[in-house]
Amino acid sequence: MIGQLCCLSVTHAVTSVEDALQQVPPTPPMSAISASEKVDGFTRKSMRKAQKQKKSQGSSQFRTQSSLVELSPLPQLKDAPSTEQQDLFTQKLQQCCMLFDFMDTVTDLKSKEIKRAALNELVDYVSTNRGVLTEAAYPEIINMISTNIFRTLPPSENPDFDPEEDEPTLEASWPHTQLVYEFLLRFLENPDFQPSMAKRYIDQKFVLQLLELFDSEDPRERDFLKTILHRIYGKFLGLRAFIRKQINNNFLRFIYETDHFNGVAELLEILGSIINGFALPLKAEHKQFLMKVLIPMHTAKSLALFHAQLAYCIVQFLEKDPTLTEPVIRGLLKFWPKTCSQKEVMFLGEIEEILDVIEPTQFKKVQEPLFKQISKCVANPHFQVAERALYFWNNEYILSLIEENIDKVLPIMFGSLYRISKEHWNPTIVALVYNVLKTLMEMNSVLFDELTSSYKAERQRPKAHQKLDIMPRVIKPFLKLWDSSEPQ
Amino acid sequence: FHPAAGPSEPKMAGADGDDSLYPIAVLIDELRNEDVQLRLNSIKKLSTIALALGVERTRTELLPFLTDTIYDEDEVLLALAEQLGNFTMLVGGPEYVHCLLPPLESLATVEETVVRDKAVESLRKISQEHSPVDLEVHFEPLVKRLASGDWFTSRTSACGLFSVCYPRVSSTVKAEIRQHFRTLCSDDTPMVRRAAASKLGEFAKVLELDYVKSDIIPLFTALASDEQDSVRLLAVEACVSIATLLPQEDLETLVMPTLRQAAEDKSWRVRYMVADKFSELQKAVGPEITKNDLVPAFQNLLKDCEAEVRAAAANKVKEFCENLPEDGRETIIMTHILPCVKELVSDTNQHVKSALASVIMGLSTILGKDNTIEHLLPLFLAQLKDECPEVRLNIISNLDCVNEVIGIRQLSQSLLPAIVELAEDAKWRVRLAIIEYMPLLAGQLGVEFFDEKLNSLCMAWLVDHVYAIREAATCNLMKLVEKFGAEWAQNTIVPKVLGMANDPNYLHRMTTLFCINALSEACGQEITTKHMLPVVLKMSNDQVANVRFNVAKCLQKIGPVLDNNALQTEVKPVLEKLAADQDMDVKYFAQEAISVLALA
């Protein structure tokens, strides 16, 4: 992915502004408007997309000082005598603090190239040399990094940015920024790196700014950030609680305020490995994070973008502490999608992942509400939902759990299965249901026969169910009365 | 009172044995039903339940039950939060209103923002119904509990409650409230700081001036330099309220440093907010500060590097100029603002240009005739030629402002190509928008210009491929006739409209009918009877049923304009013939016309 994106040709760089114009096809000369174009109605999204050929780039340096001074190349680090190397290293770091406007592809070309070369050298220098991270170098290094990467992200060029369909806006200054990230990573991974020395500079504020960058639309940038934040979490024990809390805040804001944050998947990926390392018994803080942050995250509109990572985190938690299974499953049932079939399929996938690791005692606690939901899914007119639910019966472990609790599960499932075996429009589903019914019958044929006969008896009864028929007659007159006597 | 018992034991609800309470028992039972929809219905009838139970049992049984069961679907909770805001009379009036606090307190702590906001809204509402004593005994402790809650949700909710109780409590309690607000402003959860920042202005308004200076200003300054831009931008909003409260001489020292900093903030979101609130800020800080500080700040915003900020500022150009102090206004505009505006006309971003185009015409009234002709006119003309239709449309839709100052003639040579181009734009919404301005343009350009240049456009729209355009074109004709009179109609429009009755396309033939519907009244009896009616009657023989039933509808519509003779001798036979048509829709509309026109 990363490699592929790096190949994007920079010659296509356009400002976000010009590119916005590209979305609107230039008005053709009037006489050329064909009748079909006049009856435009709604152009399909894919067509509009096709017209937008240029890769979009954005940048957000606020009032970059146009470089009055042109950079002049410094001698190469490798050519300098070892006594002067460290001094030159500092000079290069300072040189790299100069920022350039990459939206403007014509100016400062020479200086840009000098900086790029210097950054390359710096990356090389910290990754191949030992003993270069002297105490004096830390502030210079962090200053260079902060100056280059910390910035307010630009407004999204496409307000309805759909990460699944749209091309992301790429960071225009990537030719430099990439090297700075590379440098930061090599710096953190240098065997001489000393967290005790660095912690004065890599502090809470640094982490906070790093976290804000996770909202970048550029996946290349987020990928670097992910690795970097993970390294920082690993090396700075004193920052761990803070990092977790801030991720927490980012997520809460995402769920309850903005519904938009590009880096959710990356942060969840980091968390996945963090959760893995939690000590037992789990702290209240961690449980709260699971129940009040991770579970509500399932309600997000953009769930598809990070569901795999989210489900991984959830399963990590349950493997750590199986007693959390019941609240987690009940939480998922509470937020079960009502209208979005695509999400429903994801939920079912997650449930299966959970069932894969569930303990039989925990299963008993949730089987009733859970199978009520599964029974609804099986009967879903959307065949993908029904199919996903029916696939549970291909899972050996789930089958064994069902078999163990067949007296509870079968009565819940029976009605739906029996009905759709006759009624579902999709032949694949009907075939699957037959298999499932067969499996269930083999598990407990006596119960199965009982349910079959009582189901049939129920169906035989006159359509007018007493429950439904008599109640309204009793209640309706009153309802009318209430409506007219509504308190003021 | 056992909701679970339900209708099977009607005694529980109707303890006095009154069977009429049975349905109430059903409702109560449904509060616990497994089906969300039923629970929701029942909650929405909560006032009915309460009314049936009476005030005492509502207080002692229903409310505790509701308080206990608050872990439902958010949808149910939202309905509950809303209901409880209107429950005062149902619990026995203001004296007992505090009974409503426990369930609302729980609702104010749930995760879902919508529910919480509704709960806070209801709490604010019922706070007004508390007596000052109850406010201190019951309400204020609730606010304190929320303000020191563990989870951020309760603290967020607390932020919205300070200002409603502050004015009516004793000075000791006031001091406590201020202390709590201070704490929340520096909460370590950004969500809470955002909530506090968004209520800062509101809270400042209820504070005594001394406390505004001693308490609010430091909070304002701190929030405005928060590490999160989402907090900082809310401080900008508060700035408006705070500046309004302070005497002029304090503004410079207490507010301006922060405002200057916000206008130069490194985050575009904050600068956007400043631009968006610029008119309010301008009014709040007064003319002197505006001249010295806001003018340069505004210039910078108009030149901002982010298009979003420029567009927001461009939107405010007119209002800002209008509100400048009158002495020196023209100089400020000419020397400081206009140069920036000129650059925006050729901005690279279409949203910026279109924002500017929607207000730029307003400058002409402020600058007067000569300046408009010399400086603004070239800008208008440039925008009329802009590649983006929205920009051109925004200019055209505001022509009336210019018309008052210099007359539209100055523009007409450039207007025409712009109008023609928009009129034939490939997007029908653009075409629709320009049609709507036709009557206005026609009025300003005069009948001759119209006949010469625009009339053919108006007629072309009648045969557009999009129905909405044909419909708007019809309506446009009616407005034109109202403007230019029946005689003009008879000479220019009516012949063309009637000519379409012979068009091979039935949609165009129907357009004739729709036009007649719209025009008959404006054209009057003579034209209608002499020219339109014969055409309509002839069309009753059309082979397309849709045309025929539209003939029936048309006759019904123009009937009132005709005299009785025409109705009896000409319309009636045709309608009778249509009433016997083989198509059921034609029959239906013919019969309807007959009965409406009383021709039976």
Side-chain angles (χ1 to χ4, degrees), chain B residues 309-583:
Chain B
V309 180
R310 290 199 303 278
N315 252 322
K316 303 286 167 188
V317 164
K318 182 197 158 202
E319 248 180 294
F320 180 75
C321 295
E322 222 167 34
N323 295 332
L324 285 170
E326 244 172 87
D327 62 308
R329 175 161 75 185
E330 197 180 312
T331 330
I332 293 176
I333 298 177
M334 297 305 293
T335 53
H336 299 292
I337 307 297
L338 206 58
C340 303
V341 169
K342 277 182 186 160
E343 277 179 41
L344 290 184
V345 167
S346 47
D347 199 281
T348 46
N349 183 296
Q350 59 165 330
H351 300 292
V352 176
K353 286 186 293 188
S354 109
L356 181 69
S358 65
V359 297
I360 190 174
M361 311 289 268
L363 291 179
S364 50
T365 17
I366 305 170
L367 289 176
K369 190 172 176 183
D370 293 342
N371 280 328
T372 301
I373 293 175
E374 195 185 337
H375 299 285
L376 293 177
L377 200 55
L379 304 182
F380 301 159
L381 296 178
Q383 291 216 298
L384 269 178
K385 294 193 191 86
D386 199 279
E387 57 185 352
C388 164
E390 209 182 313
V391 176
R392 283 173 268 148
L393 206 56
N394 281 347
I395 289 289
I396 290 175
S397 57
N398 286 296
L399 280 174
D400 45 339
C401 326
V402 188
N403 194 30
E404 288 160 21
V405 183
I406 57 169
I408 209 161
R409 289 272 162 184
Q410 296 268 8
L411 279 173
S412 53
Q413 282 316 308
S414 313
L415 263 178
L416 194 65
I419 294 172
V420 172
E421 208 173 305
L422 289 169
E424 296 180 350
D425 196 281
K427 292 197 180 61
W428 68 266
R429 284 172 204 281
V430 175
R431 301 201 294 277
L432 185 63
I434 187 74
I435 293 177
E436 281 165 10
Y437 293 111
M438 269 300 156
L440 182 81
L441 286 169
Q444 288 168 352
L445 293 166
V447 66
E448 273 168 47
F449 187 91
F450 183 87
D451 281 346
E452 198 181 315
K453 318 273 187 191
L454 300 179
N455 195 12
S456 55
L457 282 181
C458 292
M459 301 317 287
W461 283 321
L462 288 175
V463 293
D464 198 282
H465 291 84
V466 177
Y467 176 75
I469 299 296
R470 298 198 298 273
E471 192 189 23
T474 313
C475 179
N476 172 45
L477 286 187
M478 180 181 75
K479 289 184 185 151
L480 290 173
V481 174
E482 281 167 2
K483 214 155 226 143
F484 293 151
E487 197 185 326
W488 173 82
Q490 193 184 343
N491 294 330
T492 50
I493 291 188
V494 174
K496 288 182 191 165
V497 167
L498 296 182
M500 282 163 57
N502 300 317
D503 197 288
N505 186 336
Y506 85 100
L507 290 170
H508 297 173
R509 298 201 294 278
M510 293 215 299
T511 306
T512 300
L513 293 171
F514 297 145
C515 287
I516 292 175
N517 286 343
L519 294 177
S520 63
E521 208 179 308
C523 287
Q525 195 182 66
E526 202 197 320
I527 297 177
T528 308
T529 319
K530 253 199 199 153
H531 301 277
M532 296 177 175
L533 185 60
V535 176
V536 179
L537 294 176
K538 204 177 140 211
M539 289 171 84
S540 68
N541 298 317
D542 201 289
Q543 56 182 353
V544 177
N546 298 47
V547 178
R548 294 200 302 278
F549 77 65
N550 273 298
V551 167
K553 283 164 103 175
C554 179
L555 288 172
Q556 176 183 334
K557 178 90 203 229
I558 66 174
V561 185
L562 303 170
D563 64 18
N564 198 38
N565 184 31
L567 277 176
Q568 292 299 335
T569 60
E570 299 186 65
V571 175
K572 190 176 170 182
V574 169
L575 282 175
E576 278 167 352
K577 183 187 72 185
L578 290 175
D581 199 283
Q582 55 184 354
D583 186 279

Side-chain angles (χ1 to χ4, degrees), chain A residues 33-45:
Chain A
I33 298 174
S34 68
S36 66
E37 269 174 289
K38 264 196 167 174
V39 196
D40 47 7
F42 303 93
T43 41
R44 271 180 305 139
K45 204 173 183 185

Side-chain angles (χ1 to χ4, degrees), chain A residues 17 30 33 38-40 62-63 152-153 155 208 245 249 253 256-257 288 292 338 478 482-483, chain B residues 23 45 111 113 151 188 190-191 194 227 264 266 268 271 306 308 348-349 424 426-428 431:
Chain A
V17 167
M30 259 156 293
I33 298 174
K38 264 196 167 174
V39 196
D40 47 7
F62 177 44
R63 286 178 203 160
T152 308
L153 295 168
L208 213 52
K245 197 168 87 185
N249 287 342
R253 176 153 194 239
Y256 294 115
E257 292 182 7
Q288 190 181 48
K292 295 212 169 189
K338 294 198 169 57
F478 289 108
W482 299 342
D483 286 335
Chain B
K45 293 261 179 215
E111 259 81 38
T113 327
W151 190 239
D188 66 8
M191 277 79 72
R194 276 194 287 276
E227 63 206 1
E264 299 256 288
K266 68 180 190 312
W268 63 270
R271 302 196 305 275
E306 281 305 344
E308 257 75 0
T348 46
N349 183 296
E424 296 180 350
K427 292 197 180 61
W428 68 266
R431 301 201 294 277

Side-chain angles (χ1 to χ4, degrees), chain B residues 127-128 135-136 139-140 143 161-179 181 202-212 215:
Chain B
S127 72
Q128 302 310 316
L135 207 59
E136 280 194 22
F139 197 89
E140 202 268 341
V143 178
L161 298 173
F162 294 115
S163 64
V164 290
C165 53
Y166 189 84
R168 295 167 61 217
V169 292
S170 67
S171 55
T172 10
V173 178
K174 277 184 176 176
E176 282 173 33
I177 292 180
R178 289 195 304 273
Q179 179 53 45
F181 193 80
E202 177 190 295
F203 189 55
K205 280 184 192 157
V206 298
L207 250 61
E208 298 80 356
L209 184 59
D210 283 346
Y211 291 122
V212 172
D215 282 39

